Amino acid sequence: MFIDTTTCPGFTIRVLNKSFIAEEPSHRDDIIGMVATCFAEGEPFCKFLGITADLLKEHLVESLVDKCIEDELSLVCMDNETGNIVAAMLNEDFYDTMNPDEEASEYLVSNLPEAIPIFALLELLDTQLVEKRFGSAAGVKQNEVLHAFMGATSKQYSGRGLASHLRKLTVDYAREQGFDYVVVEPTNPATQHIWTNKLGGTVEYNIAAKDFMLDGSKPFANDTRSMERQCTIVMLTL
């Protein structure tokens, strides 16, 4: 069982699985709420597109957390004093990313249309990486590439290094589980810095937000906070 109590003094990092949730069932909803709030309030594209925490919670994060509990590939961080969940790194097998459930994909498009530009951008980044490194989606094997999908840290715990430590432990855990690579699409400059400069990841493809095209238009062209930002996909070889 992967449990870390030394990397971040005062905090315990655990694998998100059924056993963890069974110890305190309320942790499931706590994780869902924390991740949804962090992205709605702190992720630049979500803020620009007006995607609320309630929308994220209902149509994306809840089902993602349930999948993560089943997959046992994600990590959560607890404050030892309060017992609260204060950070999480939600991961999945990249094989699943490249072979999505069609019904789930259709549900997202129908019920969270505000996020279509984000999904399309992520799909572009993933496709560019796969073509460069694996030839095609068929070249991505199960249990080969860990996809670090959504990372979140509660606002009141920012600046304590939890984000960096959680991502470093994600890499360690991926290696322990037999994965050969970790891939991530960091949309925030701070997390881009962690994955590349601190963890040694390689940028496999990038595109300026202002240049991203979707159905003949540029959905982020008027986002003055993000338009010059480089959107990247990063790979780490384990």
Side-chain angles (χ1 to χ4, degrees), residues 1-16 20 74-80 84-89 161-170 173:
M1 182 185 300
F2 184 96
I3 301 177
D4 182 278
T5 59
T6 60
T7 299
C8 306
F11 299 91
T12 297
I13 295 174
R14 297 273 302 274
V15 174
L16 176 58
F20 175 74
S74 301
L75 301 179
V76 293
C77 179
M78 290 191 306
D79 184 326
N80 291 342
N84 293 334
I85 303 293
V86 299
M89 190 71 231
L162 297 181
S164 295
H165 290 310
L166 200 55
R167 284 155 180 79
K168 170 63 168 61
L169 289 172
T170 291
Y173 185 61

Side-chain angles (χ1 to χ4, degrees), residues 61-73:
V61 181
E62 183 172 10
S63 59
L64 175 62
V65 168
D66 286 340
K67 181 179 186 300
C68 289
I69 292 171
E70 294 289 335
D71 290 350
E72 300 188 350
L73 295 174

Side-chain angles (χ1 to χ4, degrees), residues 168-219:
K168 170 63 168 61
L169 289 172
T170 291
V171 173
D172 294 341
Y173 185 61
R175 185 182 295 110
E176 179 182 304
Q177 294 301 302
F179 286 88
D180 297 322
Y181 308 96
V182 172
V183 297
V184 58
E185 310 93 338
T187 56
N188 190 299
T191 52
Q192 288 176 4
H193 171 73
I194 293 171
W195 286 109
T196 55
N197 297 333
K198 291 191 174 183
L199 297 179
T202 300
V203 174
E204 298 291 338
Y205 178 79
N206 63 6
I207 182 173
K210 66 177 182 180
D211 295 329
F212 172 64
M213 296 285 295
L214 176 62
D215 297 331
S217 65
K218 297 180 178 181

